[in-house]
Amino acid sequence: MKIGITCYPTYGGSGVVATELGLELATRGHEIHFISYAMPLRLGAFHQNVFFHEVENADYPLFEYPPYTLALASKMLEVATYQKLDLLHCHYAIPHSISGFLAKRMSYAHKLKLITTLHGTDITIVGSSKSFLPITKFAIETNDGVTAVSSYLKQRTLKEIGVDIPIEVIPNFINMEKFNRGECQIFRDSMAEKNEIVLSHISNFRPVKRVQDIILAFAKIHEKVPIQLLMIGDGPERSKCEELCRELKVCHKVKFLGKQESIRDLLSISDIFIMPSDSESFGLAALEAMACGVPVVSSNAGGLPEVNLHGETGFTAEVGDVDALAERILSLAKDDGLRQKFSVNALERAKYFSVDRVIPLYEQFYENILG
Ligand code: GMT
C-alpha cells in the first residue's frame, strides 16, 4: 500500500506513535510518505520506503495567523496525486483530519481514503473544549475509518464528542527488539549505590503528568528504603519540581537528567517506573518501561489501567493520592520477590502490545477501508 501519514512532528506521544507506525509499515514493504511541517523526531536517518514531504506555510503580511491547515491540505493533495497514495492516515484530529478532508474533496482523480487515529488530548482537552467541539465532531465523522488508542478514549469520544461513526480500538505498540532490558551495570553504578532501588519517571513535565506528586511520594519513603529517583525529560513543571526537592530536602536522592536519547538504557537500570498522570489515554512511556521488565506504579487515569494491570504488572492508585503512591512504591521496593514477579508479568503484558501483533491490525484495518 502507499500511505500518507500526517502527525505533529516535534512534541508528544502521537508523533512518536505515527512515526514508529510508518517505520514498521515500511519494513513490511509499504511505501510511506510523511507529510508535516518538520521531519518527525524519530525519523532520523534514511529508511527504505520512507519519504518526507515538508509543508511550507504561506507567509504573507495579511496572515497574522498563517493558515497551516490549508497549506497542509494542498501538500496532502499534491503528494496523494503524484505519489498515487491509497490512503491518508492522520494522527491527532485537529487540524490534520480537516486538512485530510479538504485534500480528499479536492482529489477527484482517484479514490483517496482518509483515516484518523485519535490519541488523547485531541479529544479530552482540545476536542471537548467549547470552541473546538463542533469542528472536532466534523473532523472525525468525515473519515472513512477512525481508530482510538484505548477503549477509554473510544468511550470518551463517543460520549463527549457524540460522533456517529464506528471507532476501532487499535492500541499503541512496542518494538521489543528496540525496547528490552539491556545489560547496563556500569551505567547503573554511575547512577545509584549498589543497594539502592532505582525509581524512574519519563515525561514532558507538563501539568497533566503531575510530576510534583512523584516528589511528594518520594519524600515520604526515601528514608524507609535505600532508593534513588531519576527524573527524565523536561518541561514547564521541572523547575517547580526541583524547588520542591529543595524544600523537602531530598535533592541528594533525586537526579534530574533532562531530555535523554537513551531511554532504553535508562529503563534498563530502573527497578520501578512511576507515572501519576492526571489524564492519559494510553501511557506509552509505561509500556516502554514494561517492555524493559520494569513494574509500573501509575495513576488509574484514562487508559492506564488497560496497560498497567493493578496487582499484576504493578500498581495503580487514584489520581492525586500521594499516600497510596508512596505506599505502593515502598511495598515494591522492599520486596525483591514481588518486584521480580511483577517484572516478569510486565514483560509478558508488553508482548500483548508488540508490533508483531498490533501492526497487522492496522494493515487489516487499511485493507477493510480500501475494500
Ligand atoms: O500527552 C502527550 O504526551 C501528548 C499526547 C499526544 O496526543 O501527542 O499523548 C497522547 O498520545 C499518546 C500516544 O498515543 C498516549 O500514549 C498518551 O497517553 C496521550 N496523552 C494523553 O492522553 C494526555
Side-chain angles (χ1 to χ4, degrees), residues 128-298:
S128 50
S129 70
K130 211 173 157 204
S131 51
F132 279 111
L133 198 140
I135 192 102
T136 303
K137 184 174 188 302
F138 177 78
I140 294 171
E141 288 179 342
T142 210
N143 282 277
D144 297 295
V146 179
T147 78
V149 298
S150 62
S151 300
Y152 160 82
L153 188 60
K154 171 180 172 171
Q155 292 313 327
R156 271 201 72 169
T157 308
L158 293 174
K159 198 165 153 233
E160 276 173 41
I161 313 294
V163 293
D164 187 17
I165 187 171
I167 298 177
E168 180 134 334
V169 176
I170 302 185
N172 286 337
F173 50 85
I174 187 100
N175 184 331
M176 299 190 67
E177 278 172 21
K178 288 187 195 165
F179 274 94
N180 51 45
R181 199 169 185 91
E183 186 46 61
C184 304
Q185 192 58 44
I186 299 170
F187 184 34
R188 185 186 163 109
D189 290 346
S190 70
M191 286 289 177
E193 298 296 329
K194 277 221 154 35
N195 65 336
E196 280 179 330
I197 292 292
V198 176
L199 172 66
S200 61
H201 170 77
I202 304 172
S203 77
N204 48 21
F205 285 59
R206 287 181 305 152
V208 73
K209 303 292 176 186
R210 294 190 70 97
V211 277
Q212 289 166 69
D213 283 3
I214 302 172
I215 309 300
L216 292 171
F218 186 76
K220 288 178 186 283
I221 58 163
H222 80 286
E223 283 174 339
K224 297 182 180 164
V225 68
I227 191 163
Q228 181 77 227
L229 173 61
L230 303 183
M231 297 289 280
I232 304 151
D234 214 327
E237 297 293 296
R238 177 174 166 178
S239 296
K240 287 183 213 157
C241 249
E242 294 199 42
E243 198 178 313
L244 193 57
C245 283
R246 288 191 286 274
E247 212 176 282
L248 298 174
K249 304 198 177 358
V250 294
C251 293
H252 59 298
K253 289 284 183 186
V254 185
K255 288 187 175 69
F256 284 87
L257 301 180
K259 288 183 183 162
Q260 293 288 327
E261 288 280 315
S262 54
I263 296 303
R264 181 245 187 192
D265 291 347
L266 285 157
L267 290 171
S268 292
I269 64 163
S270 302
D271 299 300
I272 306 169
F273 186 78
I274 177 162
M275 187 179 236
S277 306
D278 196 23
S279 152
E280 203 73 67
S281 68
F282 184 88
L284 195 57
L287 177 59
E288 290 176 342
M290 287 161 63
C292 294
V294 186
V296 174
V297 175
S298 71

Side-chain angles (χ1 to χ4, degrees), residues 114-133:
L114 181 63
I115 290 172
T116 291
T117 290
L118 307 171
H119 280 272
T121 51
D122 46 354
I123 299 303
T124 57
I125 297 180
V126 181
S128 50
S129 70
K130 211 173 157 204
S131 51
F132 279 111
L133 198 140

